Amino acid sequence: MDKNKFSLLNSIKYPEDLRRLSIDQLPQVCKELREDIIDEVAVNPGHFASSLGVVEITVALHYIYNTPYDRIVWDVGHQAYGHKILTGRRDNFCTNRKLHGIRPFPTPLESEYDTFACGHASNSISAALGMAVAARENGDTDRHVVAVIGDGAMSGGLAFEGLNNVSSTPNDMLIILNDNDMSIDRAVGGMEKYLLNLDTNETYNRLRFKASQWLHSKGYLNDDRKKGILRLNNALKSALSHQQNIFEGMNIRYFGPFDGHDVKEVARVLKQLKNMKGPKLLHLHTTKGKGYEPAEKSATIWHAPGKFDPETGERIIADTSNQPPKYQDVFGETLLELAQKNTKIVGVTPAMPTGCSMNIMMKAMPNRTFDVGIAEGHAVTFSGGMAKDGLIPFCNIYSSFAQRAYDNIIHDMALLNLPVIMCLDRAGLVGEDGPTHHGAFDMAALRPIPHLTIASPMNEHELRNLMYSAQLSGHGSYVIRYPRGKGVLVDWRNPMEEIKTGTGRKLKDGTDVAVLTIGPIGNDAAQAITEVEAETGMSIAHYDMRFLKPLDEDILKEVGEKFSRIITIEDGVRMGGMGSAVLEWMNDHDYQPKMTRMGLPDEFVEHGTVAQLREIVHLDKESIKEAIKK
């Protein structure tokens, strides 16, 4: 990379260096920062289009505010590559998302400029409000707090809970709405349409701001009078414009919309708003992928495009013609196949139709698929409502995102045993996205919930068979978890057949030790077993449990009676998972084998490739072999 082309960026190590520049130099800083992100992500893949879209906002924020003393809370964190580069991490940005390198999302564990964890959407307003209240309580009266919420995160319920509290809690925080009409796929819902159409007069806002300052200086405007004037003003404004502003309806001052790519104008507005009292919202229109034409045209594809040629925009895609498909694609193709035969089937996803491949059914059956935006809890309850009145929803949510829908799963799905089929994509270790995205907790979290059937397929045929089985009548609430990435079968399109609930399968008989696995990690275990038997002459039995709940008690009875040594292997947390379930069953039925439980440790696993992480947590093939030999 030719760093000579970055004449201004080379002089910026931290935001204090940026603040030494004149405001007229900021457009050039933005140009160089955007080029730097393009050059870096082209060779070291990561999130791309979102960070390009927020470059001017990033530069303006660090120019106007005294970071890190002033707090900037990003939401969601895949917007923050420019922020990382400007806050002391440019030289190490080449390690972004790599093992032991820069973390995939901002976190205070890495930098004092990163004020909060932000791997999931919609938490910025609540967290920033907490910081604003803390600043007031701690006497930090000159500390400013800014929440930057964008990429569809405003559709999440937590954002509205935060807004409601912002309107009633004394604070001076600023909310910046980065409105790019996108989440990851195109943003959906009434809120998104409202934001696109919202129009507030800039001159009016400027005059009101100056009038408010003058009245304050003369002592004519205390807090009680201000609230009353705000309510009257908002009512008059709504009547005159024939439009109700939802934010001002909550007594949050609204400014905008402005062009989020005019860095000088954004900086000017931020300077005006910086010391204004009371909660404020600045609405900025941006373009996801701004400054890189291919990303502007296809923001969904360029959300995380992998490696690409920065000059031509050609993505470097490996030839997978003779490779097994991704599990998500098997899900997508199978869902359409099932929906074509069963008219009751509908599809639901929270903002990830492309990521989970529900876009396959969405294209063929747009009236039977629903992208509900970044709203996992709603996705589950919405599915429950459809299931209550006769439909069969396949609700696909990434495993780590489904954590936000835990109460909905219990109260709005399992309680009535409604026939919702939850497909948890990205279960287990996901790799470079790190601890906020690892699907580590689903089995342990869901196992105690009554009525749930919980299954994990060992390969693509098993996934198809489980999906087919789940949509047959009488099964109630059903959860199928599967990992990110490729499967193991090139010839994956099998004739589907029913798998009886709670039945596993014995893949191999043996006499010395029993290995019980659940999910695709069983393929690694099968290879380990073959190698250990060849190296030692041991006789090892292998059971694919298939179901975490209900467990196959016939298999457990056979294993309990026949083996004194049992090894359980799962790609979820060891505490409370499948191994714990087997141990509980053995204890309850008076079997006392020596058990080794292999799974994820009681800690948050860092980022890196899946292979690297499995070696670190001792779930790779060599670790399985060692466990068997012991």
Side-chain angles (χ1 to χ4, degrees):
M1 179 172 56
D2 178 16
K3 293 207 171 185
N4 291 325
K5 67 179 180 179
F6 301 115
S7 58
L8 289 180
L9 196 59
N10 286 343
S11 69
I12 301 169
K13 188 171 181 64
Y14 291 99
E16 61 193 39
D17 303 316
L18 173 67
R19 292 191 279 270
R20 295 190 184 102
L21 303 178
S22 72
I23 194 168
D24 290 329
Q25 292 176 294
L26 297 189
Q28 180 64 25
V29 173
C30 293
K31 180 177 182 293
E32 294 181 14
L33 181 58
R34 187 169 271 117
E35 290 177 357
D36 198 30
I37 293 171
I38 293 169
D39 288 347
E40 290 285 1
V41 180
V43 296
N44 182 28
H47 295 100
F48 183 64
S50 299
S51 284
L52 291 186
V54 78
V55 162
E56 286 79 10
I57 297 174
T58 305
V59 170
L61 279 169
H62 283 296
Y63 188 72
I64 296 298
Y65 287 93
N66 180 29
T67 55
Y69 177 76
D70 290 338
R71 308 301 199 204
I72 300 174
V73 186
W74 292 95
D75 186 356
V76 271
H78 60 231
Q79 300 182 97
Y81 285 5
H83 161 80
K84 291 183 182 184
I85 290 170
L86 293 176
T87 54
R89 285 166 280 186
R90 185 178 178 217
D91 290 343
N92 292 327
F93 193 70
C94 58
T95 69
N96 187 45
R97 295 165 57 86
K98 293 179 180 178
L99 185 68
H100 307 318
I102 290 176
R103 298 168 190 249
F105 301 95
T107 169
L109 299 175
E110 179 174 281
S111 170
E112 63 179 336
Y113 289 90
D114 298 352
T115 58
F116 209 70
C118 51
H120 295 180
S122 308
N123 68 341
S124 61
I125 296 174
S126 299
L129 178 59
M131 294 176 190
V133 170
R136 177 169 294 204
E137 291 295 314
N138 293 333
D140 293 321
T141 54
D142 56 344
R143 170 170 285 160
H144 301 90
V145 181
V146 183
V148 185
I149 184 166
D151 252 15
M154 190 62 90
S155 66
L158 182 60
F160 287 91
E161 294 178 27
L163 280 173
N164 183 61
N165 202 193
V166 164
S167 68
S168 60
T169 301
N171 70 90
D172 301 322
M173 66 181 282
L174 172 65
I175 300 166
I176 294 181
L177 176 58
N178 170 29
D179 177 11
N180 60 11
D181 189 31
M182 296 289 292
S183 51
I184 291 173
D185 284 274
R186 181 67 55 180
V188 295
M191 171 53 69
E192 313 305 332
K193 293 177 183 176
Y194 173 82
L195 293 174
L196 287 175
N197 296 324
L198 194 60
D199 185 36
T200 300
N201 187 280
E202 180 186 346
T203 303
Y204 161 82
N205 270 317
R206 190 179 296 117
L207 288 172
R208 189 171 82 168
F209 174 47
K210 290 181 178 178
S212 174
Q213 284 186 317
W214 185 84
L215 288 169
H216 265 295
S217 68
K218 299 298 182 182
Y220 298 142
L221 192 62
N222 59 30
D223 285 341
D224 288 337
R225 287 175 181 170
K226 182 178 178 181
K227 288 179 181 178
I229 293 171
L230 261 177
R231 285 191 291 271
L232 175 62
N233 175 78
N234 293 338
L236 290 171
K237 187 174 172 185
S238 298
L240 291 171
S241 66
H242 305 289
Q243 183 177 31
Q244 172 64 48
N245 184 319
I246 187 173
F247 304 111
E248 293 199 319
M250 302 174 78
N251 285 338
I252 298 172
R253 288 290 309 279
Y254 170 86
F255 298 88
F258 296 97
D259 178 3
H261 296 303
D262 185 342
V263 66
K264 292 166 69 174
E265 177 71 354
V266 174
R268 182 192 65 78
V269 174
L270 288 176
K271 188 175 182 181
Q272 280 190 330
L273 299 181
K274 186 176 180 181
N275 294 312
M276 184 184 293
K277 299 300 181 182
K280 305 159 290 289
L281 185 137
L282 174 60
H283 183 184
L284 300 175
H285 275 306
T286 62
T287 299
K288 191 168 182 176
K290 178 69 174 178
Y292 193 68
E293 187 176 359
E296 289 188 33
K297 289 181 176 179
S298 302
T300 297
I301 292 173
W302 287 85
H303 175 72
K307 291 184 179 181
F308 61 94
D309 184 329
E311 299 298 325
T312 66
E314 181 181 356
R315 295 170 64 215
I316 302 170
I317 302 174
D319 180 12
T320 59
S321 54
N322 294 315
Q323 296 289 318
K326 294 179 179 179
Y327 277 99
Q328 68 184 58
D329 292 333
V330 175
F331 162 82
E333 296 284 356
T334 304
L335 179 61
L336 176 59
E337 194 175 329
L338 291 170
Q340 288 168 337
K341 296 175 182 177
N342 186 341
T343 59
K344 297 291 186 182
I345 289 176
V346 292
V348 179
T349 179
M352 297 302 296
T354 305
C356 76
S357 294
M358 196 174 284
N359 60 332
I360 296 171
M361 180 179 170
M362 192 170 281
K363 183 177 180 181
M365 300 177 176
N367 294 331
R368 289 169 60 186
T369 48
F370 304 91
D371 176 359
V372 301
I374 300 178
E376 289 79 8
H378 166 67
V380 172
T381 302
F382 172 54
S383 298
M386 289 191 288
K388 175 62 174 61
D389 277 0
L391 298 182
I392 304 173
F394 276 78
C395 180
N396 191 304
I397 306 178
Y398 287 8
S399 172
S400 63
F401 297 165
Q403 293 160 188
R404 296 186 287 198
Y406 193 63
D407 178 63
N408 308 78
I409 293 169
I410 295 172
H411 186 272
D412 302 332
M413 176 178 149
L415 185 66
L416 298 179
N417 200 19
L418 295 170
V420 176
I421 301 157
M422 283 199 67
C423 294
L424 301 183
D425 196 340
R426 272 65 167 178
L429 295 172
V430 298
E432 291 84 352
D433 278 342
T436 59
H437 283 58
H438 293 317
F441 306 107
D442 50 30
M443 288 194 288
L446 297 177
R447 184 166 74 89
I449 302 174
H451 291 161
L452 288 189
T453 295
I454 305 171
S456 186
M458 185 169 162
N459 57 39
E460 299 93 314
H461 290 173
E462 290 284 295
L463 173 57
R464 283 169 57 80
N465 289 339
L466 286 169
M467 290 176 66
Y468 171 78
S469 304
Q471 53 92 47
L472 297 176
S473 62
H475 284 300
S477 300
Y478 211 104
V479 178
I480 305 171
R481 72 185 299 270
Y482 52 90
R484 179 186 186 185
K486 290 190 300 184
V488 294
L489 302 173
V490 176
D491 183 16
W492 60 271
R493 202 183 285 271
N494 61 309
M496 287 178 276
E497 58 186 41
E498 182 178 3
I499 296 176
K500 184 180 177 183
T501 298
T503 59
R505 53 184 184 152
K506 179 160 61 175
L507 301 177
K508 183 185 173 302
D509 209 347
T511 56
D512 294 328
V513 60
V515 176
L516 279 57
T517 62
I518 188 167
I521 201 167
N523 297 293
D524 301 276
Q527 294 178 18
I529 288 168
T530 298
E531 293 180 15
V532 170
E533 286 189 331
E535 293 169 9
T536 67
M538 292 178 66
S539 176
I540 305 160
H542 185 191
Y543 299 85
D544 171 25
M545 295 302 292
R546 274 194 189 131
F547 290 89
L548 172 69
K549 187 175 185 177
L551 291 166
D552 188 329
E553 297 199 29
D554 290 337
I555 284 180
L556 295 183
K557 187 172 185 293
E558 175 181 319
V559 169
E561 292 177 348
K562 186 175 178 181
F563 295 93
S564 60
R565 281 198 63 221
I566 300 172
I567 298 173
T568 63
I569 308 174
E570 59 197 301
D571 62 347
V573 289
R574 185 168 57 238
M575 186 182 296
M578 189 264 288
S580 295
V582 172
L583 186 60
E584 291 166 11
W585 190 93
M586 292 291 170
N587 180 74
D588 291 346
H589 293 82
D590 296 324
Y591 295 105
Q592 297 181 333
K594 167 70 174 174
M595 278 192 61
T596 300
R597 295 178 297 131
M598 301 185 72
L600 299 180
D602 183 26
E603 60 190 50
F604 289 104
V605 179
E606 61 184 307
H607 62 281
T609 68
V610 172
Q612 289 171 331
L613 299 181
R614 281 195 174 174
E615 185 175 348
I616 289 171
V617 300
H618 306 298
L619 276 179
D620 60 313
K621 186 179 68 172
E622 291 304 314
S623 297
I624 294 171
K625 288 173 64 175
E626 287 302 312
I628 295 172
K629 290 176 182 178
K630 287 181 181 178

